[in-house]
Amino acid sequence: LGWNAAPGENGTAANLRERLVDTLSNLNDQGVIAEARRRYAAGADGTDGVDGVDAKAMPAPLRKAISGVVAQHADAATWDQLRKQAQAEKSPMIKDRMYGLLASTNDAALARRALELAMTDEPGVTNSAAMLAGVAGQHPEMAFDFALANMAKVNERVDATSRSRYFPRLAAGSADAATIAKLKAYASANLALFFHDTAAT
C-alpha cells in the first residue's frame, strides 16, 4: 500500500493506510515509528508547505495518524514539544486534539504527567475527562487509581449523570486481577449513593 497515495486512489485505500499506520504503531513496528517521526519532523519544518505543514511529508489524510504515532512513542523532549505546540495552537479543535495526543503516550512517567496536566486549567475543563480516558487506553490501572485519588477534581470535570460509568470505564482495559477488588470497593462506596441522589432528583 505504501505511505503515499497512488494517482486515482479511492477512499478505501486511504482509510486502510491510516488504520495500518495506527495498528502497526500499536504493535511497536519500528519501521513505521521511524518513518512517522521522520515525516513529522519534516512537516514541522514546513519549508514547502502551508501554515508550517509540509504537504508531502504530512499529507492531510495521514496527519492525525502520523501525529498519533509520534505522541504514542514520545520521549520527554518530544512530549514537551507537543505540549508547547498545544499551548500555542489557535484552533480550538486542533488544540483539543493536541492535548488528547499528550495523553496517548506509552511511557508511564509521561502518562503520569498527562494525568496531572489534565487536572489543571491549561487543557481546559472539557478536555480533562478525555485526557484521563486517553491515559487509560495504555495505562488503565494508573488512570483508575489516579481518578480515585483525585475524585473531587475529576467529579468537577465529569457530568454527574456519567460518573457511574466513567470511573469503571477507566479500568476496563486492565488485566490486573487486583483491579476487581478496587472496582468493587469503588462501587460499594459511591454507586449506591449516586443512585440514591439520582432518584431523589
Side-chain angles (χ1 to χ4, degrees), residues 49-81:
V50 179
D51 295 333
V53 175
D54 181 345
K56 295 178 182 177
M58 294 274 284
L62 279 182
R63 199 168 297 161
K64 288 176 64 175
I66 290 172
S67 299
V69 174
V70 171
Q72 183 179 7
H73 300 279
D75 56 15
T78 302
W79 195 90
D80 287 335
Q81 179 186 1

Side-chain angles (χ1 to χ4, degrees), residues 25-187:
S25 173
N26 289 335
L27 292 171
N28 206 36
D29 184 281
Q30 294 302 305
V32 165
I33 294 168
E35 179 63 8
R37 285 171 171 163
R38 186 195 71 77
R39 286 172 174 267
Y40 188 84
D45 291 339
T47 54
D48 64 350
V50 179
D51 295 333
V53 175
D54 181 345
K56 295 178 182 177
M58 294 274 284
L62 279 182
R63 199 168 297 161
K64 288 176 64 175
I66 290 172
S67 299
V69 174
V70 171
Q72 183 179 7
H73 300 279
D75 56 15
T78 302
W79 195 90
D80 287 335
Q81 179 186 1
L82 291 169
R83 182 180 178 184
K84 289 179 181 177
Q85 291 175 357
Q87 291 170 330
E89 179 56 53
K90 301 302 181 183
S91 166
M93 183 175 67
I94 297 177
K95 192 180 191 74
D96 291 351
R97 184 165 61 84
M98 292 294 296
Y99 278 107
L101 289 176
L102 291 173
S104 66
T105 176
N106 285 342
D107 185 276
L110 295 177
R112 170 64 63 173
R113 289 179 62 185
L115 290 172
E116 293 169 354
L117 177 62
M119 293 295 100
T120 70
D121 294 333
E122 179 183 320
V125 174
T126 56
N127 287 324
S128 298
M131 288 183 70
L132 264 67
V135 172
Q138 302 289 345
H139 311 275
E141 295 89 1
M142 179 194 297
F144 184 60
D145 290 346
F146 181 88
L148 292 182
N150 296 272
M151 187 176 294
K153 287 185 177 181
V154 175
N155 283 342
E156 293 173 357
R157 292 161 169 81
V158 177
D159 183 80
T161 59
S162 302
R163 292 171 192 163
S164 63
R165 299 183 299 275
Y166 179 79
F167 281 85
R169 282 177 179 170
L170 293 177
S174 175
D176 185 351
T179 304
I180 297 172
K182 294 179 184 178
L183 282 167
K184 288 182 176 179
Y186 166 77

